[in-house]
Amino acid sequence: SAVISQGPKKRSHLSLIFNPKVLLWLLFDIVINCLIGLTPFVDNFTHLGGMVYGLLCGLSTIERLSTDFFGIATTFWTRLRNLLIRFSGLILSVVLIMITTALLVENDAGKSPCSSCRYVSCVPFPPWAGEDNKWWYCDDCSRITADAKLDASGYYSLSMTCPDGAIEEIDLSDQLVTDRQWIRKQLPSYCRKYCDNLFA
């Protein structure tokens, strides 16, 4: 009897690229990194920018394996499409790097053209806690300064410089404050209560 063997079955590009398990793991990784980026000192724009640049650079530098390795049937049009994708990734990478570099050079340090965009990278948490009981904040009130005025009974007035440079006068005469360190700890709370703009 004759034994008939069949070579490896040719698979399409879509069955390899759009693998549900691979896509779910990638989506899970993106979501986890974005959630981590909502905490202070971790910049979501860095995560998202790295993802976009990594994708574009990967498209432009990816090394295609032999068709026998995966058993992928290729045609002239698929090879042309792959070539166009590689060049598009390279061109977009160079253009975006030039644009972002120019924006960073021209940007005034300490000022943002979109102050609300910071909430893409940081969210006060937990949302159900009171304004004075959150685990972390995303404003600039932790960096403010103030001058306290003292008399025989204690500190009676506070001249506070808000993050945007505005000066707020706070009356402390009814609190009978004598501890300078206590005032220092209360500055962020005073900032959020009395300042109109909480961002530098």
Side-chain angles (χ1 to χ4, degrees):
S1 61
V3 178
I4 300 175
S5 62
Q6 185 177 3
K9 185 178 179 181
K10 298 293 184 181
R11 293 174 290 177
S12 66
H13 286 79
L14 293 179
S15 65
L16 294 171
I17 297 175
F18 296 101
N19 187 308
K21 291 182 180 179
V22 174
L23 291 179
L24 283 176
W25 275 111
L26 286 174
L27 182 62
F28 178 75
D29 184 60
I30 292 172
V31 170
I32 290 299
N33 276 280
C34 287
L35 289 177
I36 294 174
L38 294 179
T39 61
F41 312 114
V42 180
D43 194 349
N44 246 350
F45 289 103
T46 303
H47 280 165
L48 297 175
M51 182 182 71
V52 172
Y53 283 131
L55 175 64
L56 293 176
C57 291
L59 288 176
S60 59
T61 59
I62 189 170
E63 183 68 26
R64 296 201 58 81
L65 298 175
S66 171
T67 56
D68 295 333
F69 188 86
F70 283 123
I72 303 174
T74 58
T75 63
F76 169 77
W77 295 111
T78 57
R79 290 193 296 270
L80 179 61
R81 182 189 61 189
N82 293 335
L83 187 64
L84 290 176
I85 289 175
R86 293 185 66 174
F87 276 104
S88 298
L90 178 62
I91 293 171
L92 281 175
S93 298
V94 173
V95 170
L96 287 177
I97 288 174
M98 293 173 62
I99 292 175
T100 51
T101 302
L103 289 175
L104 288 173
V105 170
E106 294 295 329
N107 185 40
D108 185 8
K111 291 187 177 180
S112 172
C114 178
S115 59
S116 299
C117 293
R118 67 179 63 223
Y119 289 114
V120 175
S121 189
C122 181
V123 173
F125 188 84
W128 58 84
E131 190 62 31
D132 295 330
N133 297 315
K134 295 188 182 297
W135 297 356
W136 65 73
Y137 299 87
C138 302
D139 51 39
D140 295 323
C141 285
S142 60
R143 297 182 290 180
I144 64 168
T145 58
D147 293 326
K149 299 177 181 179
L150 179 67
D151 61 11
S153 61
Y155 295 99
Y156 64 91
S157 179
L158 190 68
S159 181
M160 181 176 64
T161 304
C162 293
D164 61 349
I167 305 296
E168 292 289 340
E169 297 292 337
I170 302 173
D171 184 14
L172 301 177
S173 58
D174 58 341
Q175 300 185 37
L176 299 177
V177 180
T178 58
D179 188 353
R180 188 178 184 87
Q181 292 301 322
W182 182 89
I183 295 178
R184 189 187 304 274
K185 292 179 180 178
Q186 295 301 313
L187 284 181
S189 298
Y190 287 149
C191 170
R192 298 180 186 104
K193 183 177 180 180
Y194 294 103
C195 294
D196 294 328
N197 189 357
L198 304 182
F199 306 110

